[in-house]
Amino acid sequence: MQTSIPTLFMRGGTSRGPFFNAADLPADIELRNRVLLAVMGSPDRRQIDGLGGANPLTSKVGIVALGTTPGIDLTFLFAQITPDKDSVDTTPNCGNMLAAVVPFALETGMLKAQGETSTFRVLTLNTDMACDITVETPNGQVRYDGDARIDGVPGTASPITINFLDTAGSVCAGLLPTGKVRDVVTVAGIGDIEVTCIDNGMPLVMLRAADVGRSGYESVAELNGDTELKTKLEALRLTCGQLMGLGDVSKKTYPKMTLIAPPRSDDGSLTTRSFIPHVCHDAIGVLAAVTVGTACVLDGAITDGIARIGSGSSKRVSVEHPTGEFSVELETDPANPQNVTRAALLRTARLIMKGEVMIPAAVWQRGEPVQGLVS
């Protein structure tokens, strides 16, 4: 016997995974996590017995519900499943999967289209962050085809705009959790190294690639095979995690580690290599890009002398990554340029499959009490 759960399998930005209506999952968190592990086929490096794609970018889950507070249309809980571990992390956000939330709600009838375009406010439960998401809905239907292109996804699609309302200190206590725009950290095996610890949607530790003996232009394969570098980055991550008020981060998926270098293209702002946290990202996460862009507009950050940024209170930051670039629009307070007042970006999404995912009934037998669990 197996248990069936309604699901839509969706791509959001450069990530993908199953999306669920929260009402279709167990309310008990421990049981829900066991269900999600079974859905994805974890723990198993290949995730051969589930929907996971054997990579952190394709081992993600979205859980959506109608908002229950004034002004909030939807709530979104993101779950990162580690392929080869029995780990379900709902602490960080995922801006890529966020792009598929409104399409999911429209496809499942949770919301109705508003016209040629539809804008809804979504609250991410992971970090209590709100954003306005706009999708194209001609004739009351979600449009997936279009001319928008994002690096890391083949072809073009309909644009989805995400306007973040308040991202500073999404997980940490504030935008600059150490209280400084730049820190000098002493780490065994590395010595003294300059970093910017920052959280504008995603906790990051940013450092110059040159300071760890790398160019910052290495391929993903090269960096994933660079055991010496990864050992140094993990030692630095553990130290910075404490400085950022995050405690022991050895079993957490944040802070992410981001190497920076000068831009390679004429239109670029800077080059990045992002670790999530132990695997080099093929691109860069949405909220990581927002956070990198934010560092670029702060005086004194590690990006000074490296990033190429225009003048004015409204700035476009082109964050280069291994498979292209990610543009972020940022606005700063003219009276206080160190205060970022707006962060917006463009993503795309697509419905890949709709139906039911099957899990062994022993994991969750609907309607029957589960011994040892309190709901």
Side-chain angles (χ1 to χ4, degrees), residues 209 289 357:
V357 61

Side-chain angles (χ1 to χ4, degrees), residues 126-181:
N126 305 71
T127 60
D128 200 35
M129 179 189 72
C131 61
D132 289 335
I133 301 177
T134 301
V135 303
E136 294 187 356
T137 50
N139 302 315
Q141 303 294 317
V142 180
R143 181 185 179 193
Y144 294 107
D145 63 304
D147 299 324
R149 182 187 301 276
I150 60 173
D151 288 325
V153 177
T156 61
S158 178
I160 296 175
T161 58
I162 304 176
N163 186 13
F164 295 104
L165 303 178
D166 183 15
T167 52
S170 67
V171 176
C172 302
L175 177 67
L176 299 170
T178 70
K180 301 177 182 178
V181 73

Side-chain angles (χ1 to χ4, degrees), residues 177-185 193-197 243 300 302:
T178 70
K180 301 177 182 178
V181 73
R182 189 185 303 205
D183 291 275
V184 178
V185 181
I193 188 165
E194 289 188 324
V195 300
T196 288
C197 298
L243 294 176
I302 196 71

Side-chain angles (χ1 to χ4, degrees), residues 40-340:
M40 302 305 283
S42 288
D44 173 48
R45 179 176 58 84
R46 297 181 300 161
Q47 293 179 312
I48 197 68
D49 202 33
L51 295 179
N55 184 286
L57 299 182
T58 54
S59 187
K60 300 183 175 187
V61 174
I63 303 172
V64 183
L66 288 172
T68 57
T69 56
I72 299 297
D73 298 301
L74 296 167
T75 63
F76 170 57
L77 182 69
F78 163 67
Q80 176 70 65
I81 314 297
T82 303
D84 58 352
K85 298 178 182 178
D86 58 350
S87 169
V88 179
D89 190 359
T90 58
T91 307
N93 289 320
C94 178
N96 275 302
M97 291 288 275
L98 183 60
V101 170
V102 170
F104 169 85
L106 291 168
E107 291 281 2
T108 55
M110 296 175 72
L111 297 175
K112 299 296 184 183
Q114 299 167 329
E116 291 298 301
T117 63
S118 298
T119 301
F120 296 100
R121 182 157 295 179
V122 178
L123 177 68
T124 58
L125 299 179
N126 305 71
T127 60
D128 200 35
M129 179 189 72
C131 61
D132 289 335
I133 301 177
T134 301
V135 303
E136 294 187 356
T137 50
N139 302 315
Q141 303 294 317
V142 180
R143 181 185 179 193
Y144 294 107
D145 63 304
D147 299 324
R149 182 187 301 276
I150 60 173
D151 288 325
V153 177
T156 61
S158 178
I160 296 175
T161 58
I162 304 176
N163 186 13
F164 295 104
L165 303 178
D166 183 15
T167 52
S170 67
V171 176
C172 302
L175 177 67
L176 299 170
T178 70
K180 301 177 182 178
V181 73
R182 189 185 303 205
D183 291 275
V184 178
V185 181
T186 302
V187 181
I190 302 177
D192 291 345
I193 188 165
E194 289 188 324
V195 300
T196 288
C197 298
I198 185 169
D199 176 8
N200 198 24
M202 179 63 68
L204 296 186
V205 177
M206 299 175 58
L207 63 150
R208 292 180 290 253
D211 288 349
V212 285
R214 304 305 186 273
S215 68
Y217 308 123
E218 291 86 359
S219 69
V220 171
E222 286 177 310
L223 293 174
N224 279 332
D226 192 338
T227 303
E228 178 190 7
L229 173 65
K230 291 168 73 173
T231 299
K232 289 182 177 180
L233 290 180
E234 181 62 5
L236 179 61
R237 194 176 79 90
L238 294 177
T239 300
C240 290
Q242 296 287 349
L243 294 176
M244 297 168 75
L246 298 172
D248 180 6
V249 298
S250 58
K251 296 182 179 179
K252 296 178 181 178
T253 59
Y254 57 85
K256 316 294 189 187
M257 305 300 291
T258 304
L259 304 180
I260 64 169
R264 304 196 80 172
S265 71
D266 292 339
D267 296 328
S269 298
L270 85 167
T271 291
T272 62
R273 294 295 184 266
S274 182
F275 288 78
I276 52 172
H278 307 122
V279 176
C280 185
H281 201 312
D282 290 330
I284 188 170
V286 169
L287 292 163
V290 169
T291 302
V292 167
T294 301
C296 290
V297 302
L298 297 180
D299 291 337
I302 196 71
T303 54
D304 273 4
I306 295 177
R308 193 163 53 217
I309 303 295
S311 59
S313 60
S314 181
K315 299 178 176 68
R316 173 185 171 273
V317 181
S318 174
V319 180
E320 297 178 347
H321 54 74
T323 52
E325 72 87 36
F326 196 127
S327 291
V328 181
E329 293 181 4
L330 295 163
E331 289 186 12
T332 55
D333 184 350
N336 178 15
Q338 295 290 84
N339 180 28
V340 176

